[in-house]
Amino acid sequence: MTVDVVYPPVIAAARIMFRVLDLRIRLDGGQHIPREGGAVLASNHVSYLDFIFCGLAARPSKRLVRFMAKQSVFDNRVSGPLMRGMHHIPVDRDFGLGSYKTALERLKAGEVVGVFPEATISESFTVKETKSGAARLAAAAGVPLVPMAVWGGQRLWTKGRPRTLTRRHVPVTILVGEPMHPTRRDGHQAVSDELRQRISALVGRAQREYPDAPAGPDDAWWQPAYLGGDAPEPTTTPHG
């Protein structure tokens, strides 16, 4: 059984920061994350803070999420000890099988594993093509595959933009969809395609219902192009 000494205080510190910044966090669908047993959470990726917001989605179920993250995050002298202390899973792209086996072991042990199927932050703020790892893990472990979406965190810290972690009153939306139940008989690509459609629909809903709009032309960078924002055009057509 995993003993968590680092994870709870990190969560407490994050919640204090959110209160200080008065972030307007909205969570809908948290009941879809099972209270016991393994599960794969699969989310879109718009900011470097997404893993924190995705982790918050599991709080109603009183679960701790073990996220799969690239090896460089674990190699960093600041984030590395925290990531290891929270028992997250490093992904070495040259030796991906080891990461897959570790995640599978965690799932079979009844833990929740968090995955960003796009692999990298989407600079268009729409859902890119997704990798099949989340579908393969859920099917192999016989656990639910839970689609979810986060929106708003890109205004605080995202790829290619300066960090604005002191910005106050930013709304952040976290939506969790109904679980999928892939099996070994299902085609991984078909499951991945359906997962992308479900995540895209959740992202579209989060964008439509988001309570803020850009303050002016200079603030339109965080909106996707299809909503009239200045984010780069996606290479694939957004859903939702």
Side-chain angles (χ1 to χ4, degrees):
M1 181 177 178
T2 302
V3 178
D4 285 290
V5 177
V6 176
Y7 215 143
V10 169
I11 292 174
R15 295 182 71 193
I16 290 172
M17 181 184 75
F18 295 157
R19 284 198 295 269
V20 170
L21 296 177
D22 193 25
L23 298 186
R24 292 179 282 162
I25 297 175
R26 172 199 170 200
L27 168 61
D28 186 21
Q31 73 276 7
H32 292 310
I33 298 175
R35 290 185 173 273
E36 58 184 22
V40 176
L41 302 188
S43 175
N44 67 313
H45 203 6
V46 295
S47 87
Y48 292 112
L49 303 176
D50 289 341
F51 76 97
I52 299 177
F53 299 126
C54 290
L56 286 179
R59 283 188 57 80
S61 298
K62 299 181 179 179
R63 307 301 301 273
L64 296 176
V65 184
R66 315 299 178 182
F67 286 96
M68 301 185 74
K70 58 186 179 181
Q71 181 65 48
S72 60
V73 180
F74 289 80
D75 294 338
N76 184 278
R77 65 179 183 176
V78 176
S79 62
L82 291 175
M83 296 294 283
R84 288 188 290 273
M86 290 185 282
H87 305 289
H88 295 313
I89 303 168
V91 177
D92 187 329
R93 292 180 179 176
D94 293 328
F95 302 97
L97 184 59
S99 306
Y100 176 86
K101 288 182 175 179
T102 299
L104 188 58
E105 289 171 0
R106 300 283 184 86
L107 290 168
K108 290 183 175 180
E111 297 210 58
V112 178
V113 172
V115 178
F116 297 105
E118 298 165 276
T120 59
I121 288 175
S122 170
E123 295 182 74
S124 69
F125 304 134
T126 60
V127 182
K128 303 191 300 182
E129 293 299 327
T130 54
K131 308 294 185 181
S132 64
R136 290 190 292 116
L137 280 171
V143 301
L145 175 58
V146 184
M148 61 181 300
V150 291
W151 186 250
Q154 73 272 24
R155 299 176 67 187
L156 299 169
W157 189 13
T158 193
K159 190 174 182 178
R161 300 286 305 186
R163 283 176 289 183
T164 54
L165 296 178
T166 57
R167 187 168 185 171
R168 294 170 56 82
H169 313 304
V170 173
V172 175
T173 302
I174 309 165
L175 302 179
V176 185
E178 294 187 4
M180 301 167 59
H181 297 277
T183 69
R184 291 178 182 269
R185 296 186 299 274
D186 299 320
H188 297 318
Q189 190 57 55
V191 174
S192 296
D193 290 344
E194 181 181 351
L195 175 65
R196 179 175 181 267
Q197 290 174 3
R198 293 195 184 198
I199 294 174
S200 295
L202 290 169
V203 172
R205 176 186 159 198
Q207 292 170 342
R208 290 191 301 271
E209 297 177 355
Y210 194 67
D212 268 12
D218 293 339
D219 191 43
W221 62 266
W222 58 268
Q223 280 277 47
Y226 87 100
L227 289 178
D230 288 343
E233 290 278 357
T235 54
T236 56
T237 303
H239 294 270

